[in-house]
């Protein structure tokens, strides 16, 4: 093959295949809904797919269903319906879009979502718990709160062998056994540890690959845009966790990124400013939001979203397949805890990344819908600015509700931010001259 | 190795009361002093405690195992915000947040309150951020106490016992002394008595609500989070018989349950306004202080385990705890039935996500049972109640003359 042919085969493969897998996943869910089959409603921060797949339970991610309505610009129809039902304008937009979807018998802009047989969710987001209670009431299904204790205070993470880590880990291990028993009961399928081992093996490949992909974006120019391309990869990381398709995808994605790094192939943006993104994307104007940065030659090289919304699998934690159940407990604890750290205690890691990723600035995007990610962001920014003289931008909007997204205001703020970045660059050039 | 700390020694043996204004006063004066203390945003009792050398653990709503801090000789101070302007705290938070979050931090930033430790809980998405925010602004320990969110796991109580042990070790370091099982048992006894006295107060509210107004009952509970619990016990032991002796007459008011006060607190004037047209026969105001419904056993060998088990097994309910055995709407219906209420006032603090979400389930359940309800939102800083009071009076009239 010529270099051009290799380029055509490899470059952009992650996006193309990711979109195809995503379509395939929704088609399969549509089929399950049509057949009236079983499904598990889960969330991105600790989906427990490793266990649920042992019982052949298709996983449905209501967060992803909801954000799709925003990307496809129909979220307002769902939000209005849920608010008419009684839900406040001041609660999570994802919840409301899902409530409306359930009231519409699963009708979604990409097809139909099956009804839940079980709801499984961690405590990584408290709204998960309230959300699952809605399904419990609507469908009278079993719901399972998978409680994963998080980091108690900044910098105090504990590790295997520590008294407190072991207490947390025993709690997680007990819940794994209880979830397995519940799954056996609702599916009438006997737990198969070898099947679990196989699924965990695929999950290992995906976690390893995800970590590598994120780290490869230290390259200059960056290999992918963390806000747009990264969200496609994230969709596969969640929807296909523990599957062979998912493992193959991440193997190939690593290959693509390594190839691009070796060849010096970046994104389409003329990369002048390398930015870190903190928070959840602005889905109601997803492409446009990104363009407000790329047209100013800014690109996102990493994002806290890619950490916490992958359930912390960015840690690259790999399970010990010789000791699957204990290792699963340890992995869930470490990963989900890390996902929570990425929302609450991320200031130190962001400061580190300014150097390791050669970042020029940090963009904070607090949103009305999500207090988990947004509550501490202003204080986080203060800490960052106290530690480093680095430009940062703080722009508020929403991940679902276009009523609180003002594109004109965002544009003004973003342009001013880039003017500041340009001035700094100019000043640095003069000083360095 | 624990270092003996002079301050905690003093704190542990502190005999000087921090709330004496009510001593020797008639009932109405006692209630007046309690109202004054609850509405004092300078928290003078906490200040007095510290001035006498005592140490303070600030714990955010809803429930905290105060016995552990108490056993170390520290004052567990219930951080519940305040009706103050959030001047400095605003710059630490984003928009779209409840008031209590901001004003709680404002209390320390403005130096109205000083702490040796701050503890928050994963009660909601906003509150769990507090440990990180607080910790970036203060060097003393600021942490999350991970109360179990899976109340139904066979391991939950054992896990919580371990988590309480972790908390105990942290408190010991600050207090500079070991907390023994005997210390814990003694503290459990103090808090058992406190909860028993509060149950008696609520029995009065329920059986003879004309003897104590809603706002007076509230301040009698609320003051407990501001003073040593022994002092609170003294206060309650003194006032409860006096309340029972009152010669007040029953009025033609409807009996209601107030729901929505589990975290951010409504202004006292709002509770007073409700009390003018209704008898509030039960509520979830400051439910954390009444979370454990029965005495924690004192005869067991492991006080921490007993306390952990009580949190899970003999406890109330709130929108911020999921327990398969306690669906919130069914628990509200039970609260209404058990208290003989005719209607419910279902409120939520502005921007309180769990409260607002629960309102939907509550109202659908109340509709299904054909129980009347008044729905509303409040904020700790609100100062005008005219409109709300008119709406409430209309609601009450509709019920009375229906």
């Amino acid at each position: 093959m010529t270099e051009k042919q290799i380029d055509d085969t490899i470059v952009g493969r992650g996006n193309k295949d990711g979109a195809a897998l995503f379509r395939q996943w929704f088609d399969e869910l549509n089929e399950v809904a049509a057949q009236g089959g079983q499904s598990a409603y889960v969330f991105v921060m600790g989906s427990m797919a490793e266990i649920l797949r042992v019982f052949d339970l298709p996983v449905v991610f209501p967060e992803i269903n909801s954000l799709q309505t925003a990307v496809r610009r129909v979220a307002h129809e769902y939000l209005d319906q849920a608010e008419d039902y009684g839900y406040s304008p001041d609660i999570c937009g994802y919840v409301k879009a899902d409530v409306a979807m359930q009231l519409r018998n699963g009708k979604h802009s990409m097809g139909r979502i099956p009804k839940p047989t079980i709801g499984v969710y961690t405590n990584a987001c408290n709204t998960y718990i309230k959300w699952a209670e809605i399904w419990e009431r609507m469908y009278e299904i079993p719901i399972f709160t998978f409680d994963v204790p998080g980091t108690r205070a900044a910098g105090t993470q504990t590790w295997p062998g520590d008294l407190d880590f072991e207490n947390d880990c025993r709690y997680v291990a007990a819940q794994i056994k209880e979830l397995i028993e519940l799954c056996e009961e609702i599916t009438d399928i006997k737990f198969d540890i070898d099947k679990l081992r196989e699924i965990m093996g695929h999950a290992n490949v995906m976690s390893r690959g995800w970590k590598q992909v994120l780290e490869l974006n230290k390259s200059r120019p960056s290999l992918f845009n963390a806000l747009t391309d990264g969200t496609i990869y994230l969709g596969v990381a969640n929807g296909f966790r523990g599957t062979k398709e998912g493992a193959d995808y991440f193997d190939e994605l690593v290959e693509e990124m390594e190839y691009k790094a070796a060849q010096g192939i970046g994104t389409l943006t003329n990369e002048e400013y390398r930015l870190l993104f903190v928070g959840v994307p602005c889905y109601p104007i997803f492409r446009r939001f990104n363009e407000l940065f790329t047209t100013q030659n800014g690109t996102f090289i990493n994002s806290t979203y890619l950490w916490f919304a992958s359930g912390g699998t960015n840690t690259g934690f790999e399970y010990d397949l010789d000791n699957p159940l204990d290792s699963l407990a340890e992995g869930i604890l470490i990963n989900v805890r890390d996902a929570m750290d990425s929302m609450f205690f991320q200031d130190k890691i962001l400061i580190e990344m300014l150097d390791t990723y050669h970042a020029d600035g940090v963009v904070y995007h607090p949103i009305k819908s999500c207090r988990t990610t947004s509550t501490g962001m202003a204080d986080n920014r203060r800490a960052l600015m106290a530690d480093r003289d680095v430009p940062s931008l703080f722009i508020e909007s929403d991940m679902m509700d276009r009523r609180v997204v003002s594109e004109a205001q965002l544009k003004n703020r973003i342009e001013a931010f880039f003017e500041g970045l340009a001035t700094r660059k100019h000043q640095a050039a003069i000083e360095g001259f | 190795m624990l270092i003996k700390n002079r301050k905690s020694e003093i704190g542990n043996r502190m005999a000087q009361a921090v709330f004496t204004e009510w001593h020797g006063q008639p009932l109405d004066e006692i209630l007046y002093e309690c109202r004054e203390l609850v509405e004092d945003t300078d928290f003078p009792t906490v200040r007095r405690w510290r001035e006498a050398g005592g140490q303070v653990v600030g714990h955010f709503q809803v429930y905290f195992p105060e016995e552990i801090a108490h056993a170390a000789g520290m004052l567990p101070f219930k951080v519940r915000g305040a009706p103050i302007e959030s001047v400095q705290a605003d710059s630490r938070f984003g928009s779209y947040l409840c008031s209590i979050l901001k004003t709680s931090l404002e209390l320390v930033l403005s130096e109205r309150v000083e702490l040796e430790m701050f503890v928050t809980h994963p009660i909601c998405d906003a509150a769990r951020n507090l440990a990180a925010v607080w910790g970036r602004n203060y060097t003393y320990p600021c942490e999350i106490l991970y109360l179990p969110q899976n109340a139904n796991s066979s391991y939950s109580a054992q896990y919580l016992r371990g988590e309480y042990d972790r908390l105990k070790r942290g408190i010991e370091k600050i207090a500079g002394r070991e907390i023994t099982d005997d210390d814990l048992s003694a503290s459990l006894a103090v808090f058992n008595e406190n909860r028993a006295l509060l149950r008696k107060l609520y029995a009065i509210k329920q059986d003879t609500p004309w003897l104590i107004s809603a706002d007076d009952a509230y301040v009698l509970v609320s003051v407990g989070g501001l003073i040593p619990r022994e002092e609170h016990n003294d206060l309650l032991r003194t006032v409860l018989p006096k309340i029972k002796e009152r010669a007040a007459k029953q009025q033609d008011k409807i009996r209601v349950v107030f729901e929505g006060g589990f975290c951010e607190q409504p202004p006292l004037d709002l509770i007073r306004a409700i009390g003018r047209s209704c008898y509030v026969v039960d509520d979830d105001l400051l439910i954390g202080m009444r979370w454990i419904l029965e005495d924690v056993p004192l005869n067991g060998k492991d006080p921490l385990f007993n306390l952990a088990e009580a949190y899970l097994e003999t406890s109330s309910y709130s929108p911020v705890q999921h327990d398969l055995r306690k669906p919130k709407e069914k628990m509200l219906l039970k609260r209404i039935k058990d208290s003989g209420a005719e209607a419910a006032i279902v409120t939520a603090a502005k921007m309180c996500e769990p409260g607002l979400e629960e309102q939907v389930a509550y109202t659908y359940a109340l509709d299904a049972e054909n129980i009347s309800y008044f729905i509303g939102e409040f904020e700790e800083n609100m100062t005008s109640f005219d409109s709300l009071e008119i709406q409430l009076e209309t609601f009450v009239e509709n019920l009375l003359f229906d």
Side-chain angles (χ1 to χ4, degrees), chain A residues 126-127 130 133 147 178, chain B residues 125 149 154 328 353 358:
Chain A
N126 282 66
T127 298
K130 305 305 294 177
E133 286 176 350
D147 190 13
E178 287 159 358
Chain B
D125 296 330
Q149 301 273 37
S154 59
K328 265 76 74 179
E353 195 152 15
E358 212 61 64

Side-chain angles (χ1 to χ4, degrees), chain A residues 25-38:
Chain A
W25 175 35
F26 267 80
D27 287 346
E28 284 168 6
L29 292 179
N30 204 24
E31 186 60 27
V32 173
Q35 303 282 332
Q38 291 191 315

Side-chain angles (χ1 to χ4, degrees), chain A residues 152-168:
Chain A
R152 273 54 172 202
T156 63
Q157 288 87 346
T158 54
W159 302 100
D162 182 280
L163 175 69
D164 296 321
F165 183 91
E166 296 304 330
N167 185 49
D168 292 352

